[in-house]
Amino acid sequence: MKDNNSETEPDIDQSTIPSGIFTYYDDPARYHLPVEYFLIGKFVTQNDCLLFETDNELYTPVLPAKYTEYTKGDAQITVNKEVYNIGETGDVSARPLEKKYIGNFITQGPSHCLLDKFMRVEVRGVRDK
């Protein structure tokens, strides 16, 4: 029996969602503006956490669940068609975000990986049908 009062679950194949990282639901019905902001830095692993380092500061990345491929211990992370090698500096379509604007996570990494600073990784080149 389904509870009609519960929040609607996003239409995501749960088996494809990466675990051990923080992800959000990117609503494909939402209008996507071209991504015009980038952070230059690198994904790093520290204390079993996937983090992002830019300007000598660490951020907890929050990634789009539907478009992210990553398993703990991988040497790279893929967001849509963009591949980022862990430890290699590059530009990431992302923006810093305050904790109060994060919303609900689809998946959550370990609680000790939640830093005071977040970055929301956006998807490049997604077009609605």
Side-chain angles (χ1 to χ4, degrees):
M1 185 172 210
K2 196 171 185 180
D3 179 7
N4 291 331
N5 294 327
S6 64
E7 264 187 44
T8 304
E9 282 293 315
D11 186 18
I12 293 178
D13 177 2
Q14 295 290 327
S15 66
T16 63
I17 295 178
S19 61
I21 59 175
F22 297 87
T23 59
Y24 67 91
Y25 175 59
D26 189 29
D27 184 354
R30 197 183 79 201
Y31 179 71
H32 286 272
L33 294 172
V35 177
E36 295 180 6
Y37 37 81
F38 299 96
L39 287 177
I40 302 211
K42 60 187 173 185
F43 286 100
V44 296
T45 53
Q46 190 175 94
N47 299 326
D48 287 330
C49 300
L50 178 69
L51 303 172
F52 188 80
E53 183 180 339
T54 183
D55 295 329
N56 295 318
E57 294 186 295
L58 290 174
Y59 290 78
T60 297
V62 183
L63 301 134
K66 185 176 175 182
Y67 298 100
T68 302
E69 293 176 29
Y70 176 77
T71 303
K72 187 173 156 183
D74 282 355
Q76 61 189 24
I77 184 167
T78 304
V79 179
N80 200 23
K81 294 177 178 86
E82 299 291 322
V83 177
Y84 305 102
N85 293 317
I86 307 295
E88 190 175 291
T89 301
D91 67 339
V92 177
S93 299
R95 60 182 162 175
L97 197 61
E98 291 183 39
K99 198 172 195 173
K100 65 183 175 182
Y101 296 117
I102 290 293
N104 295 325
F105 296 116
I106 298 294
T107 60
Q108 292 191 48
S111 60
H112 70 274
C113 298
L114 279 174
L115 302 179
D116 289 333
K117 296 180 180 187
F118 290 86
M119 62 178 260
R120 179 183 165 121
V121 178
E122 301 287 342
V123 179
R124 295 185 196 185
V126 172
R127 290 195 175 95
D128 295 335
K129 293 179 181 178

